[in-house]
Amino acid sequence: MKESVQVLFSEEEVAARIAELGKQISEEYAGRQVHMICILKGSVFFQCELAKRITVPVTMDFMSLSSYGSGTVSSGRVKIIKDLDDSIEGKDVLIIEDIIDTGHTLSHLLKTLAHRNPASIRLCTLLDKPDRRVVDDVQVDYVGFVVPDVFVVGYGLDYDQKYRNLPYVGELSFSG
């Protein structure tokens, strides 16, 4: 089967939108420090570029989560593969995701982190697929782009560990 990628958001569009998000976050967190939590692996590209555009003090940590079940359908059960290195108690936390679709993983993560007593928790994603949302307790505070229900790759998003390094976001399709 042959794979092909069609550009949905160009490198320039992604950069411009990240700059806008950085400005918005900087304004809303004025006078405070932002503790960014990157959800590995896909969010690394987005977090690095976003952090460079935030003008208030920033600290960072990383988590890796697995939503497991049969096939491509999330069971809603989430396993923490890599937990935070530092406490988030009293911190203004900004969770950074590459894409949000069903919301199962983030719903679990938000509840888990809330028990760790941060001052606040907000959610920022590069891509949002609201048409795929099946949980209603995930409030996305900052959205780069809303995408249709297609398979997207690039800018950290992968298919079988490929395409993460594309400097744009594209739709992956298969033929033959």
Side-chain angles (χ1 to χ4, degrees):
M1 196 174 297
K2 185 176 177 172
E3 302 166 13
S4 64
V5 180
Q6 180 180 348
V7 176
L8 288 176
F9 304 106
S10 70
E11 182 175 4
E12 295 78 17
E13 289 172 306
V14 172
R17 183 65 185 125
I18 291 173
E20 291 169 2
L21 288 171
K23 182 178 180 197
Q24 181 183 359
I25 291 165
S26 297
E27 290 170 359
E28 292 180 16
Y29 282 88
R32 297 184 287 167
Q33 178 172 295
V34 178
H35 187 68
M36 299 174 82
I37 297 177
C38 178
I39 307 304
L40 298 171
K41 299 178 184 172
S43 302
V44 170
F45 291 79
F46 179 42
Q47 175 159 312
C48 289
E49 291 303 314
L50 181 60
K52 290 191 285 186
R53 287 155 182 82
I54 294 175
T55 58
V56 298
V58 170
T59 57
M60 293 183 193
D61 208 339
F62 300 86
M63 287 187 87
S64 181
L65 308 167
S66 173
S67 191
Y68 53 94
S70 60
T72 58
V73 178
S74 172
S75 65
R77 294 174 293 184
V78 178
K79 179 180 177 186
I80 296 175
I81 306 297
K82 187 237 176 277
D83 206 340
L84 299 173
D85 292 331
D86 300 311
S87 170
I88 60 170
E89 187 169 351
K91 295 181 181 179
D92 289 308
V93 171
L94 182 60
I95 299 170
I96 308 298
E97 262 291 17
D98 52 358
I99 188 165
I100 301 172
D101 51 29
T102 65
H104 279 301
T105 301
L106 279 170
S107 175
H108 176 82
L109 177 62
L110 289 167
K111 290 172 190 164
T112 299
L113 294 180
H115 290 299
R116 298 180 185 186
N117 301 314
S120 66
I121 300 178
R122 295 181 119 184
L123 181 56
C124 179
T125 188
L126 178 62
L127 304 175
D128 190 13
K129 282 188 185 180
D131 292 343
R132 299 233 333 134
R133 199 87 76 248
V134 296
V135 297
D136 57 8
D137 63 345
V138 173
Q139 170 65 41
V140 185
D141 301 287
Y142 306 100
V143 175
F145 301 96
V146 174
V147 293
D149 189 11
V150 296
F151 198 94
V152 289
V153 293
Y155 218 85
L157 294 131
D158 74 300
Y159 169 70
D160 198 23
Q161 297 299 325
K162 297 184 290 188
Y163 305 109
R164 285 190 198 278
N165 62 318
L166 294 177
Y168 58 85
V169 174
E171 177 182 351
L172 180 64
S173 58
F174 301 91
S175 61

